[in-house]
Amino acid sequence: MRLYIYKKNAHEFDRVALHEQVTSLVQVQGASCATHMAAMTTRPRPAAAAIIIAAVFGAAAAAASGGGGMVGVDGTQFVVEGGRTIYFSGFNAYWLMMMASDPARRAAVVAAFTQASARGLNLARTWAFSDGGDQPLQSSPGVYDEAMFQGLDFVIAEAGRRGIYLLLCLTNNFENFGGKRQYVWWARDAGHNLTADDDFFTSTVTVLTRVNTLTGVAYKDDPTIFAWELMNEPRCYADPTGAMVQAWVEEMAPYVKSVDGRHLVTPGLEGFYGDGEHERKELNPWGIYYGTNYVATHRAAGVDFATIHLYPDVWLWGSTADEQATFFRNWTQSHIDATAAYLGMPLLVTEYGKFLWKEVGANKAQRNYFLDLVLDAIYASASRGGPLVGGAFWQLLLDDDVVAGMDDLRDGYEIILAEDSRAASIIGEHSEQLAALNGQDADVLCRRASSHRKTRLGNSLSCGGSGDTLELLLRMVLACFVSLSRSISSFIVQNLILL
């Protein structure tokens, strides 16, 4: 179990762990980089095969999550078999594997998926890593705990049964659950000359395979898995130009594809801009450089879709509500525009949340208004054929009465659907909106958004063919009706409750 708090100052925040560590699939060890990147006139590539992603590609249920099988990419849209669009209304629950590793606590996983499915949620983002510490998936380099792995098997099988796709994150930028720091320590113990956490980005990596013990299906063949996320929130202060992270992604994304050529891959970026063409560093919180490049890194070979995170109140600690709202609008629209113009791929908000301050009372009305803002922005883009086609709130929890220990996971961002009817309603209505857009012919959207799209090669499907106009019209009418009801609710919250 793990509880997060936030250290805040005028310039940045870092997640700090208060308890133990949880699940893992992709891990890193030692390695080599020919020369320091900053000293090179052209960005060097790591010498050998870059990281070690351990234990990932293996098994799972034959059940086709979401009813459509493997998810692919067609331009700025996610599609399932037949080239039909799919949109994602999702949640984060990093704790799923940890809970499922104990058979006595698997009821928490079942309850979470059941409640999420009842609200139309079709995507869960969760950790597939836990390196070192008290409850590791990987206790030492290449040594894995079978009970933890069987916990992940259970998570995948249960998600498949309920039509929920999984975005599995392979390692962590932060020290929580091991992260890149643990790999640096392991590499140093093995005799590699590494001195800082950011040396992780120049290390080598190995991969193991996994077949789900419950379903007998290899992870790499499982349609329940929507995509692999290389790292949760990669940052590299040692190289603010972003070249080090860039080289790592350019090495790792194709490497993952070489092992699993069926699933999508994303780096896991928060959306911070850096140096280079089409980057907008002035939009970063406090103008800080985080060692990543939003546009350049998502252009790397093997990357299929883009991600951003949204935490205006934390990123702009001490700012006013108006300043945070302005940041939200600029941040979101800038990434929508950049993704459409320079990337031509789908975009997901894989984390968004608003902190509820316990010491001054939990202002759920403001939090719910924030949910409305984010979800309306997602729907506005999706309904017009734009690249922002889904998101996942941070984080879904259960009441402590369901499974003991849940209260230890509270971090101020939690949403407990069973006890927060307004938030559950907002999220459920948004799920209905996006579901009404599912199943469109991607070619129709290709034509609709063609003036804002850049052609992608590789894993993307090509635009072409004709759409089902009548079906599209009916879906859009339904979606507009749902949108109207949400707009009315949002107006009431903004103008009555918040006054």
Side-chain angles (χ1 to χ4, degrees):
M1 303 168 345
R2 191 150 195 155
L3 178 65
Y4 289 101
I5 59 173
Y6 283 81
K7 292 189 303 182
K8 309 174 186 71
N9 55 41
H11 298 296
E12 68 170 291
F13 71 95
D14 290 308
R15 288 182 177 171
V16 181
L18 296 183
H19 225 19
E20 6 173 287
Q21 301 194 334
V22 74
T23 47
S24 157
L25 238 53
V26 170
Q27 325 325 100
V28 186
Q29 295 178 338
S32 68
C33 185
T35 322
H36 190 272
M37 296 181 181
M40 305 293 285
T41 54
T42 59
R43 178 173 41 77
R45 300 185 56 84
I51 303 184
I52 287 184
I53 301 181
V56 167
F57 311 101
S65 286
M70 286 283 187
V71 178
V73 169
D74 185 343
T76 57
Q77 303 298 308
F78 290 117
V79 294
V80 290
E81 294 172 5
R84 295 286 171 166
T85 58
I86 181 169
Y87 298 86
F88 290 110
S89 178
F91 64 96
N92 281 268
Y94 69 90
W95 47 268
L96 292 174
M97 181 178 71
M98 177 187 66
M99 285 289 183
S101 67
D102 179 358
R105 309 177 81 190
R106 288 182 175 178
V109 175
V110 175
F113 284 145
T114 300
Q115 292 182 17
S117 180
R119 291 294 176 177
L121 294 164
N122 64 346
L123 176 66
R125 177 174 176 261
T126 191
W127 292 175
F129 63 86
S130 181
D131 307 306
D134 296 331
Q135 195 175 356
L137 173 63
Q138 185 177 206
S139 57
S140 60
V143 178
Y144 295 91
D145 183 273
E146 181 60 20
M148 289 292 284
F149 248 139
Q150 290 185 14
L152 186 59
D153 292 344
F154 183 84
V155 170
I156 295 172
E158 287 298 307
R161 288 180 57 196
R162 287 163 177 77
I164 295 177
Y165 284 99
L166 293 174
L167 174 55
L168 296 181
C169 184
L170 298 176
T171 194
N172 202 5
N173 176 69
F174 306 99
E175 68 270 25
N176 306 326
F177 312 123
K180 65 185 183 185
R181 174 177 294 180
Q182 181 64 69
Y183 287 103
V184 170
W185 287 350
W186 283 338
R188 195 169 6 184
D189 290 343
H192 296 278
N193 185 24
L194 302 181
T195 58
D197 292 356
D198 287 339
D199 288 336
F200 167 93
F201 292 105
T202 58
S203 60
T204 5
V205 195
T206 355
V207 180
L208 304 177
T209 59
R210 176 76 178 177
V211 172
N212 194 305
T213 57
L214 297 176
T215 65
V217 181
Y219 285 3
K220 64 182 180 181
D221 297 324
D222 181 18
T224 301
I225 298 171
F226 154 61
W228 304 112
E229 184 177 271
L230 297 181
M231 178 182 284
N232 172 52
E233 300 184 343
R235 299 180 183 181
C236 185
Y237 298 109
D239 181 8
T241 69
M244 193 173 287
V245 171
Q246 181 80 18
W248 180 76
V249 171
E250 289 183 353
E251 187 90 19
M252 289 316 303
Y255 179 59
V256 170
K257 291 285 191 179
S258 73
V259 179
D260 177 359
R262 303 188 68 188
H263 286 105
L264 304 177
V265 172
T266 193
L269 299 184
E270 299 161 89
F272 299 132
Y273 292 106
D275 290 330
E277 190 178 14
H278 311 308
E279 303 288 334
R280 298 194 60 187
K281 292 182 292 187
E282 73 278 4
L283 292 182
N284 287 349
W286 308 108
I288 297 174
Y289 302 165
Y290 293 85
T292 60
N293 291 290
Y294 176 76
V295 175
T297 301
H298 281 124
R299 280 177 157 177
V303 172
D304 296 294
F305 63 96
T307 64
I308 61 173
H309 291 180
L310 282 171
Y311 293 105
D313 54 347
V314 180
W315 286 353
L316 302 180
W317 173 245
S319 61
T320 66
D322 286 344
E323 289 170 337
Q324 292 172 19
T326 298
F327 171 86
F328 165 80
R329 287 190 293 270
N330 292 339
W331 184 256
T332 306
Q333 192 59 53
S334 171
H335 285 86
I336 291 174
D337 293 344
T339 303
Y342 308 124
L343 300 178
M345 59 174 55
L347 168 64
L348 292 179
V349 185
T350 46
E351 285 189 30
Y352 61 88
K354 185 172 180 60
F355 191 82
L356 299 182
W357 292 101
K358 292 183 180 180
E359 59 267 33
V360 297
N363 193 336
K364 291 184 177 179
Q366 291 185 6
R367 193 275 311 281
N368 292 339
Y369 178 54
F370 174 74
L371 289 179
D372 268 324
L373 290 177
V374 176
L375 300 182
D376 285 345
I378 292 172
Y379 178 73
S381 171
S383 63
R384 293 195 295 262
L388 180 54
V389 291
F393 65 83
W394 185 279
Q395 63 163 328
L396 176 67
L397 284 187
L398 305 173
D399 188 273
D400 199 64
D401 293 337
V402 176
V403 173
M406 275 286 169
D407 281 351
D408 293 336
L409 304 181
R410 289 176 178 262
D411 60 3
Y413 290 87
E414 69 276 354
I415 295 178
I416 301 176
L417 296 173
E419 68 179 35
D420 195 335
S421 59
R422 180 58 192 145
S425 177
I426 292 171
I427 291 166
E429 289 168 0
H430 175 70
S431 298
E432 291 179 18
Q433 282 186 294
L434 292 187
L437 300 177
N438 284 342
Q440 299 178 64
D441 190 323
D443 294 331
V444 173
L445 298 182
C446 279
R447 291 193 294 272
R448 184 191 304 172
S450 60
S451 61
H452 305 290
R453 175 174 300 167
K454 180 178 179 179
T455 303
R456 277 187 79 229
L457 303 176
N459 293 320
S460 300
L461 305 174
S462 60
C463 296
S466 59
D468 189 333
T469 306
L470 178 58
E471 179 185 6
L472 175 62
L473 179 60
L474 291 175
R475 289 180 181 275
M476 291 302 295
V477 169
L478 176 59
C480 289
F481 177 80
V482 175
S483 178
L484 177 61
S485 68
R486 289 193 74 246
S487 297
I488 293 174
S489 298
S490 177
F491 176 85
I492 293 174
V493 171
Q494 182 180 3
N495 293 278
L496 299 181
I497 297 178
L498 294 181
L499 291 178

